Amino acid sequence: MNNFSPRPSQQNILRYTGGRLGIAAVPGAGKTHILSALAAQIIHADQLQDGQEVLIVTLVNSAVDNFEARIKRFFENPVQALYKYRVRTLHGLAHDIVREKPSSVGLENQFSIIDEREAEFIRREAVNAWLAAHPDFLDDYIDPALDESKRDWVRRQQLPNLVDSLALAFIRSAKDRLLTPERLRAKLDASFAPLPLAELGWGIYADYQRALAYRGAVDFDDLIRLALTLLQNDEEYLERLRFRYPYILEDEAQDSSLTQQKILGLMSGEDGNWVRVGDPNQAIFETFTTADPDLLRDFIKNNPNADMPESGRSQPAVIALANHLIDWVMTAHPDSKVRTALSLPHIQPVPAGYEPVNPPDNPEGIRFISKKFTPEEELEAVVKSVKSHLDSFADSPQAEKPTIAVLVPRNQRGVEVVEALRKRGVEAIELISSTANTRAAAGSLNYLLSYLADPQSARKLSKAYEVFRRDWRVGNMSLRGADATKQSPTDEEIASTGERRLATTLQSERLATTSALLRRVGEVEKFIAPNQTDDWLAALVESEPEHLIEELNEFRVNVQRWLQAVTLPIDQLVLTLAQDVFSEASDLALAHKLALVLRQAADDHSDWRLPELTSELAVIAKNERRFIGFSSDDSGFDPDRHRGKAVVTTMHKAKGLEWDRVYMMSVNNYDFPSNMPNDRFISEKWFIRGGLNLEAEALEQLNALESTGEYDAYEEGAATMRSRLGYVKERLRLLYVGITRAKRDLIVTWNSGRQGDATPSLALSELMGFWEGRG
């Protein structure tokens, strides 16, 4: 197959013929490649009947494209694999399951799905309403040592964010347990013990779900919950899915939740073909999701299993450091309850004769900066080092310049790093939050189709015009962004910028004026298809400037062409519109994807016309991009495209990526605690009595409602202690993830924190001692 030469551990996996298989893969082991090869092998072996596909389930949308591209490479003619495999994120799979039979789980056929931003807005409204109705409800949890003025400040300034975070975790956990607000209310009514935080969670959850129902919508967690409910209650449908997907290959299984495991377990059946690949040592999303790495560990333990320990990513010194962290955690961490945070296998370099070849061993590439920095000093030291390193490659060809990443534990620290780098004249690539480019592109097509579905609407015509001139708006935004990052411009650059600013100002004014005029068109037909005696545009000649008349005339010609194209199949119509309004290759590629999705929707629903297809596009553009394949990160982030620049990102977002040189910042006992007496925990707020973690306590009260044993009663404070352990384990894995991003160089720093009392994390101290004593 292809020119793929599998390494020894990969050869072992390719001997798979069926049944369940659990695979523990180290960072850089080639999980995507081996699953793609396995899928291609199944297809080549003609193990699929007509109407059957290999199902690959992965974590993020960028991996969907990656899998599809890799699988096609295993076929001389990609048509051989057509309709033989399907790649989905879990949310995409859940969407497929529910969309086929929405009425079975109480949804309308045209249900919508809210994205995370809208979900946050709705939840915030529910939180604010609950706090307004119960202003003193949490007073018992506020530190009694605070005076009344400070307590009042806490109620106003601190509780809204705290309660929102609690509500998010509570709602997610309730949905993962398939608990609706109604079922939860019944359990609360039957409880003998007071559970105030569960009451709080239920109140906001119920209000949140009512708001969703009013919109005829579900959120991402609902999708997964409803998919599982449907599979549990519809045996005939489940059997059809089992036939359709006789092989299930699951990537990034360490981030699976119990509900995800149940869905895939049902779809594969007890004796079915289910391969799960992941690295429990890279499970770093427990704090934000319902993921549980122990699920994969147990699956590997209880089923046939294999390791993928070989990795060609890092030089041997980096590998030795990562392996020592595993050993120290497993055998010597002072808190024995933390020792399960990391597990074998160790990382092994790729054996001789196989690809890729690890970078050459260079112990000098590892540097631990033991100096006690303030946060400001650490920032200055790292930025100075980055600039110096990049300057040393100033005269090198682009292909020889290094890839560099600065990894930070939190978003705000990343923003500070980006600003400091730009002040130093270093080009910084911010990989902290996603851009809105994709949302804008998909939304633009939606506006055009909305007008074509309702061509008499002046409001929609005006929106279509704004799309027609979207480059003017984008150009103006680009100019502002360039001004914000420009370092010491020359006189010529200042003059050029002034000319461009004048041009964009004129464009913005023309855009606003023309759009406003179109909104006031009384009868749109008199503008789009006028007769000789009744032409709206001709009537404006006397009152409006010539350039405005020319602009409206140019737009009218385009609209007339679009209206003539309405009779084309939906995919051809979308591509026709895209050619007229998009100039960027990424936007045109997105339009191609949307065209295919809408064509599939038209094929699945032969009775749908343009209004229904437009509604489907609106759902995709606004809400479903995350799991259908239209997120702003769809193409994946490629560090090689940013050689000679500094990428700044969080350690969480860095997962799956690699750079020649990696800086890890803020590795202190606040961001990476070890459950030692002097450690502080971000989830334990200073204004809450007894250091309680209210989010953990609320989830423990939810657990108490689910328990049946008389000894399972809620005990205040126990959940806070357990959450500390969980957080310490996750931060150790995050440290491991950060280390294993480095191919050649790794520089690690720490700072004393805002209060000046933070120390190096215990794991960092251990690694520094290990490195100093090597040899």
Side-chain angles (χ1 to χ4, degrees):
M1 296 186 296
N2 199 355
N3 293 320
F4 178 46
S5 179
R7 303 193 286 266
S9 64
Q10 295 173 331
Q11 293 172 19
N12 184 39
I13 291 164
L14 289 175
R15 295 188 184 99
Y16 170 82
T17 57
R20 293 192 170 189
L21 178 63
I23 302 170
V26 302
K31 298 189 298 293
T32 302
H33 208 151
I34 195 62
L35 282 185
S36 300
L38 186 56
Q41 179 173 278
I42 292 168
I43 296 169
H44 273 295
D46 291 329
Q47 297 182 40
L48 302 176
Q49 301 177 39
D50 289 343
Q52 290 187 326
E53 297 175 309
V54 178
L55 175 64
I56 299 117
V57 181
T58 188
L59 186 64
V60 295
N61 283 319
S62 56
V64 173
D65 287 342
N66 197 4
F67 268 113
E68 291 184 341
R70 286 179 183 269
I71 291 172
K72 289 175 182 176
R73 293 187 196 131
F74 285 100
F75 297 86
E76 291 183 7
N77 183 356
V79 174
Q80 293 175 277
L82 200 61
Y83 305 122
K84 295 294 185 181
Y85 68 92
R86 179 170 302 219
V87 189
R88 284 287 186 266
T89 63
L90 177 66
H91 294 97
L93 176 62
H95 172 264
D96 290 346
I97 292 170
V98 174
R99 183 67 79 180
E100 195 160 330
K101 302 188 75 170
S103 61
S104 297
V105 286
L107 297 178
E108 298 292 332
N109 285 337
Q110 290 299 312
F111 71 89
S112 62
I113 303 166
I114 63 166
D115 62 14
E116 289 157 318
R117 181 175 298 183
E118 190 172 357
E120 180 183 5
F121 173 78
I122 296 171
R123 190 181 64 252
R124 274 281 185 178
E125 283 195 323
V127 166
N128 292 337
W130 187 91
L131 285 170
H134 308 84
D136 305 321
F137 188 89
L138 290 172
D139 279 6
D140 182 53
Y141 288 100
I142 298 177
D143 187 348
L146 300 180
D147 61 40
E148 187 54 37
S149 64
K150 187 158 286 187
R151 290 168 70 88
D152 184 60
W153 179 83
V154 165
R155 292 187 195 101
R156 289 183 287 105
Q157 300 295 327
Q158 299 295 324
L159 286 188
N161 286 336
L162 176 61
V163 173
D164 182 60
S165 177
L166 185 157
L168 172 61
F170 189 91
I171 292 170
R172 279 183 168 168
S173 185
K175 291 184 177 183
D176 197 49
R177 301 161 188 259
L178 307 187
L179 281 174
T180 63
E182 295 75 21
R183 288 187 60 205
L184 187 54
R185 181 68 261 167
K187 288 180 177 291
L188 282 166
D189 291 341
S191 174
F192 293 104
L195 300 170
L197 296 177
E199 288 282 358
L200 180 160
W202 169 82
I204 297 171
Y205 180 22
D207 199 13
Y208 174 79
Q209 289 301 109
R210 279 193 292 270
L212 292 185
Y214 176 78
R215 291 166 169 80
V218 295
D219 64 14
F220 292 136
D221 296 312
D222 280 324
L223 262 186
I224 297 174
R225 171 180 65 87
L226 293 172
L228 177 56
T229 300
L230 183 53
L231 296 181
Q232 289 175 333
N233 296 326
D234 193 330
E235 186 67 28
E236 182 273 335
Y237 183 37
L238 177 60
E239 286 301 322
R240 280 199 286 124
L241 290 177
R242 284 177 177 170
F243 174 81
R244 186 185 304 171
Y245 304 121
Y247 291 88
I248 298 177
L249 312 182
E250 180 187 2
D251 187 28
E252 301 290 1
Q254 77 277 352
D255 294 316
S256 177
S257 68
L258 181 60
T259 304
Q260 174 173 340
Q261 180 170 278
K262 287 179 177 178
I263 289 173
L264 298 184
L266 281 171
M267 290 180 63
S268 64
E270 289 186 12
D271 301 319
N273 305 313
W274 183 14
V275 178
R276 308 188 75 185
V277 183
D279 183 0
N281 290 347
Q282 295 188 77
I284 56 174
F285 296 113
E286 283 182 276
T287 300
F288 312 109
T289 68
T290 53
D292 183 354
D294 287 338
L295 296 172
L296 176 60
R297 284 198 178 103
D298 292 342
F299 184 92
I300 291 173
K301 179 181 178 181
N302 297 321
N303 291 282
N305 58 76
D307 289 340
M308 287 178 60
E310 303 139 351
S311 172
R313 171 181 295 165
S314 304
Q315 61 131 319
V318 174
I319 292 176
L321 195 68
N323 287 341
H324 181 75
L325 180 61
I326 293 175
D327 291 340
W328 175 74
V329 169
M330 291 182 64
T331 62
H333 194 287
D335 189 336
S336 60
K337 295 178 181 177
V338 173
R339 293 178 183 175
T340 57
L342 295 172
S343 58
L344 299 176
H346 285 139
I347 305 172
Q348 300 174 13
V350 171
Y354 294 93
E355 296 288 337
V357 177
N358 293 78
D361 191 21
N362 177 25
E364 299 304 314
I366 308 294
R367 293 183 59 199
F368 291 103
I369 311 301
S370 59
K371 181 178 179 180
K372 178 181 179 179
F373 288 126
T374 65
E376 294 75 20
E377 289 169 343
E378 181 193 34
L379 187 63
E380 178 66 20
V382 168
V383 168
K384 183 178 178 181
S385 175
V386 170
K387 179 172 173 54
S388 175
H389 189 66
L390 287 176
D391 285 349
S392 68
F393 288 87
D395 297 327
S396 301
Q398 183 64 25
E400 295 179 10
K401 292 183 178 182
T403 56
I404 293 182
V406 181
L407 307 186
V408 295
R410 307 190 193 284
N411 285 325
Q412 183 53 43
R413 188 61 166 165
V415 171
E416 294 167 359
V417 174
V418 169
E419 292 174 351
L421 285 168
R422 289 174 177 168
K423 285 180 181 177
R424 284 266 189 169
V426 177
E427 186 171 355
I429 305 300
E430 186 175 348
L431 187 59
I432 295 173
S433 57
S434 58
T435 67
N437 292 345
T438 304
R439 179 187 296 272
S444 293
L445 288 172
N446 180 56
Y447 282 133
L448 293 181
L449 289 179
S450 293
Y451 168 70
L452 296 179
D454 184 14
Q456 297 305 316
S457 169
R459 179 181 60 82
K460 293 179 180 179
L461 177 68
S462 174
K463 280 291 186 183
Y465 169 73
E466 292 176 9
V467 172
F468 176 63
R469 289 303 189 197
R470 70 189 298 272
D471 284 347
W472 288 0
R473 190 185 302 272
V474 172
N476 198 17
M477 292 174 64
S478 299
L479 179 61
R480 291 200 302 269
D483 287 348
T485 59
K486 190 64 182 175
Q487 302 290 328
S488 304
T490 64
D491 291 343
E492 291 80 5
E493 288 172 330
I494 292 172
S496 175
T497 299
E499 292 172 2
R500 286 187 289 123
R501 181 175 289 109
L502 176 61
T504 53
T505 299
L506 292 173
Q507 287 176 343
S508 294
E509 292 175 353
R510 187 174 300 181
L511 179 67
T513 302
T514 308
S515 180
L517 269 175
L518 288 170
R519 281 196 299 272
R520 295 197 297 270
V521 176
E523 298 179 50
V524 174
E525 188 175 0
K526 293 181 179 180
F527 170 57
I528 299 301
N531 56 46
Q532 292 183 344
T533 60
D534 201 358
D535 185 341
W536 177 80
L537 182 56
L540 294 179
V541 171
E542 299 297 327
S543 59
E544 300 295 342
E546 181 180 353
H547 68 79
L548 196 59
I549 301 300
E550 292 176 352
E551 175 70 8
L552 285 165
N553 191 58
E554 182 181 353
F555 175 57
R556 175 162 67 182
V557 170
N558 280 272
V559 173
Q560 290 170 342
R561 184 170 64 252
W562 298 341
L563 287 168
Q564 291 172 358
V566 165
T567 57
L568 294 172
I570 186 62
D571 53 335
Q572 295 181 36
L573 173 59
V574 168
L575 294 176
T576 298
L577 297 174
Q579 291 294 333
D580 280 348
V581 298
F582 294 155
S583 56
E584 295 292 328
S586 58
D587 290 341
L588 291 168
L590 173 71
H592 182 71
K593 280 188 173 184
L594 287 168
L596 292 177
V597 169
L598 290 181
R599 179 57 183 265
Q600 184 64 52
D603 291 344
D604 291 343
H605 303 274
S606 58
D607 58 326
W608 281 13
R609 297 295 178 262
L610 193 55
E612 290 82 9
L613 291 168
T614 301
S615 297
E616 185 74 1
L617 178 58
V619 172
I620 294 170
K622 293 178 182 177
N623 309 323
E624 299 179 13
R625 226 169 27 262
R626 165 177 164 182
F627 54 91
I628 292 181
F630 298 98
S631 72
S632 55
D633 297 326
D634 269 350
S635 59
F637 184 86
D638 183 1
D640 280 340
R641 294 174 56 192
H642 305 288
R643 288 188 173 276
K645 305 170 187 176
V647 174
V648 181
T649 187
T650 63
M651 295 174 193
H652 283 93
K653 276 190 169 291
K655 184 173 175 292
L657 303 173
E658 58 188 43
W659 292 268
D660 295 321
R661 170 173 282 217
V662 167
Y663 293 83
M664 294 180 64
M665 295 181 66
S666 304
V667 188
N668 56 31
N669 68 327
Y670 178 69
D671 285 303
F672 294 89
S674 294
N675 213 25
M676 297 293 101
N678 61 331
D679 287 344
R680 295 195 305 274
F681 292 82
I682 192 171
S683 56
E684 298 173 18
K685 307 303 181 185
W686 60 268
F687 52 85
I688 298 297
R689 62 172 172 81
L692 289 176
N693 177 345
L694 291 194
E695 184 178 309
E697 297 297 321
L699 296 182
E700 183 61 19
Q701 292 186 13
L702 184 59
N703 283 336
L705 287 173
E706 287 277 272
S707 65
T708 55
E710 60 178 302
Y711 299 107
D712 295 332
Y714 168 70
E715 178 185 351
E716 185 176 272
T720 296
M721 294 298 103
R722 283 195 297 275
S723 72
R724 285 185 176 185
L725 286 174
Y727 186 70
V728 166
K729 290 180 179 181
E730 185 177 293
R731 300 308 277 191
L732 284 167
R733 292 192 289 267
L734 188 64
L735 184 61
Y736 177 82
V737 166
I739 291 170
T740 54
R741 300 312 95 194
K743 296 166 69 175
R744 299 176 182 273
D745 301 333
L746 176 68
I747 298 94
V748 186
T749 61
W750 67 281
N751 66 64
S752 57
R754 286 182 297 176
Q755 298 182 25
D757 58 352
T759 61
S761 77
L762 189 62
L764 175 57
S765 296
E766 168 61 30
L767 292 176
M768 285 193 291
F770 164 72
W771 203 245
E772 289 172 2
R774 73 191 187 282

